[in-house]
Amino acid sequence: MEQLELISSTVVEGKASLVKNLVEEALDKGLSPVDILINGVIKGMDVVSQRFQSEDFYIPDVLLSSRAVHAGMRVLNPSLLKENVSNPGEIVIGTVAGDLHDIGKNLVKIFLKGKGYKVIDLGIDVSAEDFVEAVEKYRPQVLAMSALLTTTMPVMRETIQLLEQKGLRKDVQVIIGGAPVTFEYMKTIKADGYANVASQAPELVAQCLARLQS
């Protein structure tokens, strides 16, 4: 357990090369890849998420920890594949058409990947048609849309309407976020979830997955 705690704290410190070495050592010692993932890497990212939410951590700190997570996962992934460990869920994410902002979206992606989710990033300026095409292609459990401009928010409604027209809506949970987005707007356009802080995204996605499974 001491080795896992060390991995966790080193993720928090954002020391990528050390995380890589510690994960390699843990595997050499015979520790379970799943234990290393959950009680080492993900546990560390949970702390990062909490500190970011309480404003003890800032974007540069999160980015350093994200690099540390990726360094550990590059070592862990082959062992996880051997044990046939699947990702907990798949998310398609993007910033809506007419909007070129991606800092918030990228932070959400970091926190989701830190929890082991597979994230397909469509980038910025994504149209309703492109979102729906990605849902058809990848069949994710969750679609996440971001907007920083009030003028681009209607694309979120258009996307949900197009999902309904294509008969895809019942199979995918839609979550939204961004500075001008509110809980009330989420209810108005019949989305399934809303977060105003990037670090809340993993919990929101977990709730969405639970609804799909119920």
Side-chain angles (χ1 to χ4, degrees):
M1 188 58 71
E2 186 177 314
Q3 184 82 8
L4 299 180
E5 289 172 358
L6 195 53
I7 291 170
S8 174
S9 62
T10 309
V11 164
V12 176
E13 292 166 3
K15 298 179 178 177
S17 60
L18 187 52
V19 169
K20 174 181 176 292
N21 293 339
L22 288 169
V23 171
E24 288 173 344
E25 287 175 15
L27 289 171
D28 289 342
K29 289 178 180 178
L31 273 69
S32 159
V34 177
D35 277 346
I36 298 170
L37 173 66
I38 295 173
N39 298 312
V41 177
I42 289 178
K43 185 178 178 182
M45 204 60 196
D46 284 343
V47 174
V48 174
S49 176
Q50 291 160 11
R51 292 189 182 179
F52 181 74
Q53 201 160 335
S54 63
E55 298 185 351
D56 294 322
F57 263 27
Y58 299 98
I59 290 175
D61 304 303
V62 175
L63 293 175
L64 282 174
S65 293
S66 173
R67 291 191 188 101
V69 167
H70 292 154
M73 291 307 296
R74 279 194 291 272
V75 178
L76 263 183
N77 277 333
S79 298
L80 291 170
L81 287 171
K82 284 180 185 176
E83 292 200 3
N84 200 27
V85 177
S86 60
N87 65 71
E90 193 165 318
I91 300 101
V92 165
I93 190 171
T95 302
V96 299
D99 204 321
L100 306 180
H101 299 89
D102 66 356
I103 292 175
K105 170 185 69 63
N106 290 343
L107 282 173
V108 168
K109 182 169 67 171
I110 285 170
F111 286 118
L112 290 173
K113 283 191 168 184
K115 275 289 193 178
Y117 292 109
K118 181 179 179 182
V119 182
I120 299 159
D121 187 357
L122 303 182
I124 58 175
D125 197 24
V126 184
S127 68
E129 291 78 12
D130 287 341
F131 275 122
V132 172
E133 185 178 318
V135 170
E136 285 181 308
K137 179 178 179 181
Y138 298 108
R139 299 288 170 171
Q141 289 94 344
V142 178
L143 171 64
M145 294 183 284
S146 170
L148 197 65
L149 305 172
T150 54
T151 53
T152 64
M153 287 167 57
V155 177
M156 294 175 168
R157 185 196 298 270
E158 292 168 20
T159 301
I160 291 173
Q161 291 173 341
L162 191 54
L163 285 169
E164 290 171 349
Q165 291 170 19
K166 296 272 189 177
L168 298 167
R169 184 66 181 93
K170 66 183 184 299
D171 298 320
V172 63
Q173 294 276 293
V174 179
I175 61 175
I176 61 174
V181 179
T182 63
F183 179 81
E184 289 74 21
Y185 185 72
M186 180 268 290
K187 299 295 285 185
T188 299
I189 67 171
K190 299 179 181 178
D192 301 296
Y194 152 78
N196 61 354
V197 179
S199 54
Q200 294 173 348
E203 181 181 351
L204 181 58
V205 167
Q207 293 169 2
C208 289
L209 295 178
R211 281 197 291 269
L212 284 173
Q213 292 163 4
S214 63

